[in-house]
Amino acid sequence: MELSELRNTPHLSASSVGDYLDCGLLYKFGRIDKIRPAFIPDALEFGSAIHLVMAEIHQQKMIGIDLSIKEIQESFEKHWTKIARDNSLIQYAEGKNFDTYLLEGKELLSVYYHKRPRDGFQVIAVEEPFSIRIEGCSVPVIGAMDLVEEDSSGTIIITDFKTAGRAYSNDEVDRNFQLTLYQIAVKQNGFADREILLKFDCLIKTKTPKFDSYFTTRSDRDEKRAIRKMIEVWKGISKGVFIPNDSPSNWKCKGCAFKKNCDEWFMKEAA
């Protein structure tokens, strides 16, 4: 099956595990009930456009072509226009709109172009899909790795591209579940005998745009913890346990696209 087909069957992924742990109702509304969200956050669609550009950059690198800054910025304009122009579902933050993001994207990519690492790594795969099986979990775990490279010593480098409003802390990078899952997937798909490095390449949307790379590694213990987490998440999902996280400390509540559905659920349950 293609990844697009797998997404239409029961499965786990880094994002679905994150949704379930953040809020069981968020997972249920979006992935079980398949309710159309009331809106799409602007940052989500902006990140999608950046990801498409980064994929193009590295697909061209794979065949020995280094795109110019002009070509990169034109690629972003093409993708952002296709995604966002006349898209009434996008909810823009105060002071943001189609044009401000168009400018911001070009500025971020300019910073990336001038500060990106000139490491000479060989590109092995771009947007590489995977489907793996975890013992104790009855559904596949699926996903796609943004970039897989190899250095001269044979080390595998897995990169995930991020757009963010601030720099990441070392702890956030070292504990990130998504990167741990990528290492598990790469090992299951023929690279268990290789050294593996994990990396975030982060375009940071501060007043002065920045680009940072964050390297990290994972131990066997980290993998075991991630596997146990996936098993327990699937147990909860398969038993229909969807606990809402409407705590005031949950920052996602304020901007949740399922707020109306959440309110209706609480009133129905109370009745």
Side-chain angles (χ1 to χ4, degrees):
M1 278 190 186
E2 296 292 327
L3 194 59
S4 58
E5 294 177 277
L6 285 168
R7 287 194 175 112
N8 293 321
T9 62
H11 67 273
L12 287 180
S13 65
S15 61
S16 69
V17 169
D19 281 352
Y20 185 82
L21 293 174
D22 284 340
C23 176
L25 277 187
L26 171 67
Y27 179 95
K28 181 178 184 296
F29 292 148
R31 299 177 186 269
I32 303 294
D33 301 336
K34 299 191 182 302
I35 297 171
R36 188 184 188 190
F39 60 86
I40 302 172
D42 51 1
L44 184 64
E45 296 291 58
F46 179 75
S48 296
I50 292 288
H51 264 76
L52 289 168
V53 177
M54 300 301 276
E56 282 189 21
I57 291 170
H58 291 90
Q59 284 162 352
Q60 293 300 307
K61 181 183 177 183
M62 191 185 293
I63 58 175
I65 298 173
D66 187 16
L67 294 181
S68 68
I69 182 59
K70 182 175 184 291
E71 290 171 319
I72 290 170
Q73 290 178 331
E74 286 175 348
S75 173
F76 174 75
E77 184 166 357
K78 174 188 70 176
H79 289 301
W80 178 238
T81 299
K82 184 176 181 180
I83 288 171
R85 178 74 77 185
D86 302 321
N87 187 344
S88 60
L89 272 179
I90 297 178
Q91 179 173 286
Y92 288 102
E94 185 177 352
K96 298 286 188 179
N97 56 41
F98 175 87
D99 292 321
T100 59
Y101 270 117
L102 180 61
L103 178 61
E104 188 170 342
K106 289 182 176 181
E107 289 177 343
L108 276 171
L109 288 164
S110 177
V111 172
Y112 171 77
Y113 178 81
H114 292 292
K115 293 191 174 181
R116 60 184 168 164
R118 309 285 178 171
D119 44 42
F121 295 163
Q122 179 185 351
V123 177
I124 297 175
V126 178
E127 294 293 327
E128 179 70 8
F130 65 84
S131 175
I132 60 173
R133 288 285 179 176
I134 300 294
E135 187 177 350
C137 182
S138 60
V139 295
V141 182
I142 69 172
M145 290 173 277
D146 291 346
L147 178 64
V148 183
E149 297 175 291
E150 182 181 19
D151 71 10
S152 58
S153 70
T155 297
I156 299 298
I157 303 99
I158 306 168
T159 301
D160 192 70
F161 299 115
K162 296 290 186 187
T163 53
R166 59 171 179 79
Y168 281 28
S169 69
N170 290 335
D171 190 56
E172 285 175 304
V173 177
D174 290 341
R175 295 174 63 86
N176 182 268
F177 171 77
Q178 184 179 24
L179 292 180
T180 311
L181 175 57
Y182 289 170
Q183 175 162 304
I184 295 168
V186 144
K187 284 187 173 181
Q188 281 200 25
N189 284 284
F191 294 99
D193 61 338
R194 301 284 195 96
E195 292 291 326
I196 297 172
L197 277 177
L198 306 165
K199 177 163 69 86
F200 277 150
D201 273 358
C202 192
L203 285 75
I204 305 171
K205 301 179 290 181
T206 43
K207 187 173 182 179
T208 301
K210 294 171 59 181
F211 167 72
D212 281 330
S213 288
Y214 302 89
F215 283 88
T216 186
T217 58
R218 293 294 185 271
S219 65
D220 289 343
R221 182 174 182 272
D222 294 326
E223 291 182 29
K224 288 175 182 176
R225 290 176 66 91
I227 288 168
R228 180 61 186 269
K229 182 181 291 187
M230 287 185 279
I231 292 169
E232 294 305 312
V233 164
W234 183 247
K235 282 182 183 177
I237 292 168
S238 60
K239 291 177 181 177
V241 178
F242 303 108
I243 300 171
N245 182 7
D246 62 328
S247 165
S249 62
N250 184 4
W251 61 270
K252 288 190 175 183
C253 275
K254 184 178 179 181
C256 182
F258 297 110
K259 188 176 189 313
K260 180 181 176 182
N261 307 97
C262 182
D263 291 342
E264 290 174 352
W265 182 89
F266 271 103
M267 291 305 100
K268 180 180 178 181
E269 292 300 305

